[in-house]
Amino acid sequence: MSGIRGGRTAGAALAAVMLVTMLGGCAGGGGPDPVGTWGDPDGAYLELESGGAFTGSDGCNRLTGSWTMEDDNISFDDVASTRMACPDTEALLEGLDTANVSGDTMTVYADDEAQIATLDRAPVNS
């Protein structure tokens, strides 16, 4: 009988290790959560959705596309933008390609790796 009990204990221990491993992979994985609004919704901003889509504006032109994240680094793909003429607005997010998230700050880079913007996480409206 003690052999059966030992087998159950070993099986329970193995199941516990597997559960911790699976949960650790889900919880820890890819750095900070970038979902939400970054920047000023009345000016230049990006809004990253949980499904991998994003929208935004440089204060004049609207942006849309998709994003993926690995560690603290975000890659933007399929980026489309309107081309309105706004004489008093700098096209701050034009050419966005990647971003890095550190705490509540997102630094946005162009495809030539030049830094083009720094956006703070917008507060969540309650």
Side-chain angles (χ1 to χ4, degrees), residues 15 37 60 65 79 86-87 93 120 126:
T37 302
C60 174
V79 179
C86 302
L93 297 173
D120 292 326
S126 23

Side-chain angles (χ1 to χ4, degrees), residues 73-118:
N73 301 307
I74 298 170
S75 294
F76 296 102
D77 295 306
D78 303 320
V79 179
S81 174
T82 59
R83 293 286 186 185
M84 297 183 284
C86 302
D88 297 328
T89 303
E90 181 183 352
L92 189 64
L93 297 173
E94 185 175 329
L96 84 153
D97 184 56
T98 61
N100 179 274
V101 174
S102 179
D104 286 336
T105 303
M106 177 187 287
T107 306
V108 183
Y109 301 92
D111 60 0
D112 64 358
E113 299 181 13
Q115 181 178 329
I116 58 174
T118 302

Side-chain angles (χ1 to χ4, degrees), residues 43-47 54-65 80 93:
Y45 77 94
L46 293 173
E47 185 170 341
F54 81 89
T55 57
S57 173
D58 62 9
C60 174
N61 288 294
R62 289 185 216 114
L63 303 164
T64 187
L93 297 173

